[in-house]
Amino acid sequence: MLKPYFKSCGGPGPLRAGVGRRVRFEECDQIGIMWHGRYASYFEDAREALGDKYGIGYAEFTAARVVLPIVAMHVDYRIPLEYRQEYVVSAILHWSDAVKLNMEYEIRTPDGELATRGYTIQLMVDFDKKLLFDPPSFYADFRRQWERGLVS
């Protein structure tokens, strides 16, 4: 059993979205294995898919004049992905009472084997780079719906 990245804080269950991809030649090192530095952009693909699915993407935050800097990122590499290999990268948003996004990621092979997992933590700041202590109204509304079980 894998150790969870984020402890349950009594809120609703996590939300998930994923996207399928295939390892491209330019993403590999000289022996045909996906280069470790590419994983951040794969996590981004899943993060955007989750934001689009739930209406809490970068466009919505930008319209609210909020940016989401990543303050922590961690990656656990389990098995390498190889050139032309297909995979699914998923983002899993965990509930937080704080004004931040706790996002976990999984990259799985087509047969479901876990290749890589990781997480990011993003804070919410305004365009003047000042930390927010209250979420923007659209995200507060989203959280209320999530907490009531109206989002899944």
Side-chain angles (χ1 to χ4, degrees), residues 58-76:
Y58 290 119
E60 289 80 10
F61 278 101
T62 301
R65 302 195 47 78
V66 174
V67 293
L68 300 163
I70 293 175
V71 296
M73 180 172 158
H74 178 84
V75 182
D76 287 312

Side-chain angles (χ1 to χ4, degrees), residues 40-87:
S41 66
Y42 294 154
F43 290 177
E44 180 80 13
D45 290 342
R47 202 164 44 245
E48 285 190 2
L50 188 138
D52 291 346
K53 179 176 179 179
Y54 295 106
I56 56 168
Y58 290 119
E60 289 80 10
F61 278 101
T62 301
R65 302 195 47 78
V66 174
V67 293
L68 300 163
I70 293 175
V71 296
M73 180 172 158
H74 178 84
V75 182
D76 287 312
Y77 306 97
R78 299 177 57 83
I79 60 170
L81 294 175
E82 299 177 2
Y83 173 57
R84 299 191 69 140
Q85 185 174 3
E86 293 184 356
Y87 63 92

Side-chain angles (χ1 to χ4, degrees), residues 11 15 24 26 34 49 52 56 63 96 108 112 117 122 126 152:
L15 302 175
R24 300 176 303 162
E26 60 105 355
M34 188 165 63
D52 291 346
I56 56 168
S96 174
R108 293 186 178 272
R117 65 190 291 254
Q122 293 174 272
D126 65 19
S152 58

Side-chain angles (χ1 to χ4, degrees), residues 28 38 48 72 74 129 150:
C28 295
R38 293 291 182 179
E48 285 190 2
H74 178 84
K129 301 177 186 158
L150 302 175

Side-chain angles (χ1 to χ4, degrees), residues 111-130:
D111 63 358
E113 186 174 12
L114 183 63
T116 307
R117 65 190 291 254
Y119 69 87
T120 58
I121 298 172
Q122 293 174 272
L123 297 180
M124 295 183 195
V125 301
D126 65 19
F127 277 19
D128 294 322
K129 301 177 186 158
K130 292 186 176 135

